[in-house]
Amino acid sequence: MPLPASTYEIAVWATATIQPDYLITVDKIKYSVPYEFIGKEVNIRYTGKAIEVFFHNNRIASHVRRFGICDPVILPEHMPENHRQYLAYTTTNFLEWAAGVGRSTEAVMKVLLTANKVEKQSYPSCKTLMKLADRYSIERIEDACSRALAYTPTPSLKNIQMILKTGQDRVKPDKSNQASKPSGHYGFTRGAAYFGGGESND
């Protein structure tokens, strides 16, 4: 009998339950599956060249296998519609928008972009910040970011949302508090004579 046209490849099988991010992990690299299978248990077959995912013996996803340090391998067709819209955005888009709003907004945007190990995972938060500007105005966004940065150098999106919701961005800092603080020029200062001091009669 003639030998097979292609060399036999050893395959490894594993099982996994699809998490809400619709990703599976093989050797620390993540690969997408259709989001409809979130919560389902699937079988994974991987060789030196390919990753295949099966549900009830039907193949639902396949990827060329990656090695080394790599971003998650996500196919657009595996994503829900509301996630696909983020493919049109880039880090540059977010930073340019934030810079146009103000320095504080730009600083907060940089914090949001570095909040996750994979930068693209931060895009939903960045997009939400932009939507807040549509709801509240860019002026209030800048003031809210400034207020948040006054509290912490690494504010979260929730910090910004809470400041806007409670209207803290509209409250100007109360400088009168500084005048009430004790200093070396005020207080109850008494001379030595008060305590029986002064010149000695000895």
Side-chain angles (χ1 to χ4, degrees):
M1 297 290 291
L3 295 174
S6 58
T7 304
Y8 175 78
E9 284 191 291
I10 297 177
V12 177
W13 287 84
T15 59
T17 299
I18 306 303
Q19 301 302 306
D21 60 3
Y22 49 89
L23 298 174
I24 59 169
T25 303
V26 176
D27 286 344
K28 298 182 179 181
I29 297 179
K30 295 181 180 293
Y31 301 85
S32 66
V33 300
Y35 74 94
E36 294 91 346
F37 294 92
I38 290 174
K40 305 294 185 182
E41 185 176 80
V42 298
N43 295 312
I44 305 169
R45 178 182 183 273
Y46 56 98
T47 66
K49 296 181 180 179
I51 305 290
E52 296 177 294
V53 184
F54 297 85
F55 181 69
H56 291 172
N57 297 320
N58 294 313
R59 189 172 71 176
I60 60 173
S62 64
H63 298 273
V64 174
R65 189 173 180 182
R66 306 287 182 88
F67 295 92
I69 299 175
C70 178
D71 290 338
V73 181
I74 303 176
L75 300 181
E77 56 267 31
H78 291 168
M79 306 171 71
E81 184 61 34
N82 62 327
H83 286 195
R84 292 182 193 177
Q85 61 181 310
Y86 297 114
L87 295 177
Y89 290 93
T90 65
T91 298
T92 301
N93 295 147
F94 290 122
L95 290 176
E96 287 180 348
W97 175 85
V101 176
R103 290 183 178 181
S104 295
T105 305
E106 184 180 15
V108 169
M109 187 69 81
K110 288 179 179 179
V111 171
L112 295 180
L113 285 167
T114 57
N116 295 285
K117 291 183 178 180
V118 179
E119 194 170 67
K120 288 185 178 179
Q121 292 178 349
S122 301
Y123 284 6
S125 295
C126 297
K127 179 62 177 176
T128 299
L129 184 63
M130 295 174 70
K131 286 185 176 180
L132 288 174
D134 294 335
R135 179 179 178 182
Y136 291 100
S137 82
I138 59 175
E139 291 81 7
R140 289 194 63 186
I141 289 295
E142 176 65 9
D143 289 342
C145 288
S146 178
R147 178 59 65 95
L149 289 167
Y151 297 147
T152 172
T154 55
S156 66
L157 179 63
K158 287 185 178 180
N159 295 147
I160 306 300
Q161 290 173 318
M162 181 59 65
I163 289 172
L164 291 167
K165 184 177 180 180
T166 59
Q168 294 179 50
D169 58 294
R170 291 176 167 175
V171 180
K172 300 301 181 183
D174 186 2
K175 296 182 179 180
S176 63
N177 289 335
Q178 298 177 2
S180 64
K181 294 181 180 179
S183 69
H185 299 290
Y186 301 95
F188 298 101
T189 304
R190 299 183 175 92
Y194 178 85
F195 298 100
E199 296 181 2
S200 176
N201 295 323
D202 296 340

